[in-house]
Amino acid sequence: MSLIESRLAELGVTLPDAPAPAANYVPYVVTGNTVYVSGQISMQDGALITGKLGEGMTTEAGAAAAKTCAISLLAQLRAACGGDIDRLVRVVKLVGFVNSTPDFTEQPKVINGASDFLVAALGDKGRHARSAVSAASLPLGVAVEIEAIFEIA
């Protein structure tokens, strides 16, 4: 087991298989030492986490949904690295989209669910630049979608 996967196991997380794309795109692109991972939607155990923040979904539930996106991002990274996720040098950037009402303003707290998890799992390698924005809706009605850029060795 890799060092990163051992740390994830300590946190009670096992990486799933990388989710297949839902449309006409690739799940990731590797160019040089950079991996661009397509947006990963909030889902757990194969079930979509749907909802709209500010309308029946709490910030805490949104943060939990964002964490599931981060887990999928790491699963895609592992696939991009041919199974060797320990090639990770650092998380460079996250771009998080939150399905929310126009008056909802806690997008950063929602995306913290992913950011906090990545730092807990990866230490300094998990610290990253980030954007957290609102969307009127997201694919399949999911609560959160997050894309990422990683540096690998």
Side-chain angles (χ1 to χ4, degrees), residues 54-135:
E55 183 181 280
M57 185 174 221
T58 67
T59 299
E60 294 76 20
K67 178 182 174 183
T68 70
C69 296
I71 292 168
S72 293
L73 288 166
L74 292 179
Q76 293 292 0
L77 176 64
R78 181 179 62 188
C81 290
D84 183 8
I85 195 169
D86 285 342
R87 289 178 57 197
L88 175 69
V89 173
R90 73 168 306 147
V91 181
V92 176
K93 184 170 184 182
L94 298 183
V95 179
F97 302 92
V98 179
N99 184 355
S100 65
T101 60
D103 60 338
F104 184 78
T105 60
E106 296 188 338
Q107 294 84 357
K109 290 180 181 179
V110 170
I111 302 303
N112 276 349
S115 296
D116 293 347
F117 169 73
L118 290 171
V119 171
L122 306 171
D124 283 341
K125 289 181 179 187
R127 297 191 185 285
H128 51 271
R130 186 183 88 179
S131 298
V133 297
S134 190

